[in-house]
Amino acid sequence: MTEAAEPVVDEEVPRTTRPALDVLDRDQDRLLYEGDPTREPPIQPLSEGFDSAFYALSWYQAAGIRTLGHVDRVIEPADMLPLSGLLEKLLTVDDDRQSVYIRRRLVEKLDDACDLAYRQFRERAGERVEDAGGETWKDVDPDEESNPLMRPAFRQLDQGQAAALLNLWTGFEDREALGRWVRSLSAPTNGEKPSGLLDEIVASPPLLEALLDQDEQEAKVTRYRFAMSAVMPSFLSAARTLSGGERTDSSGPTHGAFNS
């Protein structure tokens, strides 16, 4: 029996996971403490609370990407619903001492979820470095990196999910626009959208009316609930399916390739 040949390893091209891990660490720091005003929609930091329910919704979606879906180990989507009691403590309209304490404790607890994502990503990530000494990663500035986890695929998923939530938040003009939106969820859920979602919507006249009502504030509340309970779990599942194995070549004097 012939033995399988050993894979050829190019000793002249060292690899490091350092750039992606540095960027992931910075992404998580923004999530918890500093926010990211350059991201659309902006990420408001958990430690300071959120100016509206929409920013809370956007933060949770962003946290799913930046924790590889593990944010629900600390805050489940159901915890973010209005009647859970937690959401009101996360909104800046309520800045009493108890709210500040709850936010601080959540930040501390989420550190474990961030560490878990870091450890998992460390095993998955890999970049080519430019020189044999493996020093190119030092040229990568986490503050300049626009891709979450320094991965275009993660950025695409992040942007797709954020856009889907924004479309849902504003409501739909008619049944066709709603149907096209449900159809569009295949990409931002990585094929994990709930089965029969449109049938479920149509079977509930109050939900259907809220999704098609672009003006009433009460309809926004319903759409927020729908986003958290029906859509967000699929977004988290999609974040968990990304392997992080994209190869990025840092050739050239700058790290512009990382921003592709």
Side-chain angles (χ1 to χ4, degrees):
M1 180 177 178
T2 304
E3 294 185 1
E6 290 290 331
V8 177
V9 177
D10 186 352
E11 298 295 342
E12 298 301 318
V13 184
R15 287 174 171 78
T16 176
T17 60
R18 194 72 247 168
L21 289 174
D22 287 343
V23 171
L24 172 59
D25 186 59
R26 190 73 181 91
D27 285 339
Q28 293 175 341
D29 204 53
R30 293 189 184 106
L31 194 69
L32 300 179
Y33 295 105
E34 297 181 18
D36 187 356
T38 65
R39 190 254 198 184
E40 185 59 40
I43 297 174
Q44 295 187 328
L46 176 61
S47 60
E48 297 181 10
F50 310 115
D51 292 343
S52 69
F54 176 72
Y55 281 116
L57 182 69
S58 296
W59 177 89
Y60 194 86
Q61 176 272 313
I65 298 293
R66 291 153 182 81
T67 63
L68 302 185
H70 296 310
V71 63
D72 64 356
R73 288 172 173 255
V74 178
I75 309 174
E76 296 183 8
D79 296 332
M80 297 290 287
L81 294 176
L83 293 181
S84 71
L86 177 63
L87 180 62
E88 66 181 26
K89 300 301 180 184
L90 299 182
L91 299 179
T92 54
V93 69
D94 188 357
D95 267 337
D96 58 21
R97 293 179 61 184
Q98 185 183 30
S99 298
V100 172
Y101 173 77
I102 288 174
R103 294 172 201 158
R104 182 184 305 122
R105 288 297 295 132
L106 286 175
V107 167
E108 293 169 350
K109 291 181 178 180
L110 275 168
D111 188 56
D112 287 340
C114 289
D115 283 347
L116 175 59
Y118 189 97
R119 291 194 300 271
Q120 288 185 345
F121 193 67
R122 181 181 59 199
E123 301 301 322
R124 304 175 187 178
E127 288 77 50
R128 291 186 181 278
V129 294
E130 184 178 347
D131 54 50
E135 299 297 328
T136 305
W137 68 268
K138 292 183 178 180
D139 295 332
V140 177
D141 184 355
D143 287 319
E144 297 295 328
E145 179 53 55
S146 62
N147 290 338
L149 289 73
M150 210 168 73
R151 289 297 189 277
F154 281 75
R155 183 185 185 187
Q156 183 175 357
L157 186 65
D158 189 38
Q159 291 178 335
Q161 291 183 353
L165 291 180
L166 181 59
N167 290 335
L168 173 60
W169 185 257
T170 56
F172 305 99
E173 294 181 355
D174 50 37
R175 285 274 294 270
E176 180 179 343
L178 172 59
R180 292 176 68 89
W181 176 80
V182 172
R183 170 69 185 87
S184 75
L185 288 179
S186 294
T189 62
N190 215 11
E192 299 290 331
K193 72 179 180 183
S195 178
L197 182 61
L198 187 56
D199 288 340
E200 180 181 336
I201 294 171
V202 173
S204 173
L207 175 58
L208 179 61
E209 181 181 356
L211 294 178
L212 297 178
D213 187 339
Q214 297 179 302
D215 299 320
E216 287 295 328
Q217 185 62 33
E218 188 60 32
K220 286 185 179 290
V221 174
T222 300
R223 293 199 293 272
Y224 174 88
R225 292 176 177 275
F226 175 75
M228 273 297 176
S229 60
V231 180
M232 200 63 71
S234 295
F235 282 1
L236 295 180
S237 294
R240 285 190 281 267
T241 63
L242 287 178
S243 67
E246 289 182 34
R247 292 285 185 196
T248 307
D249 191 342
S250 62
S251 60
T254 70
H255 66 283
F258 293 117
N259 291 320
S260 59

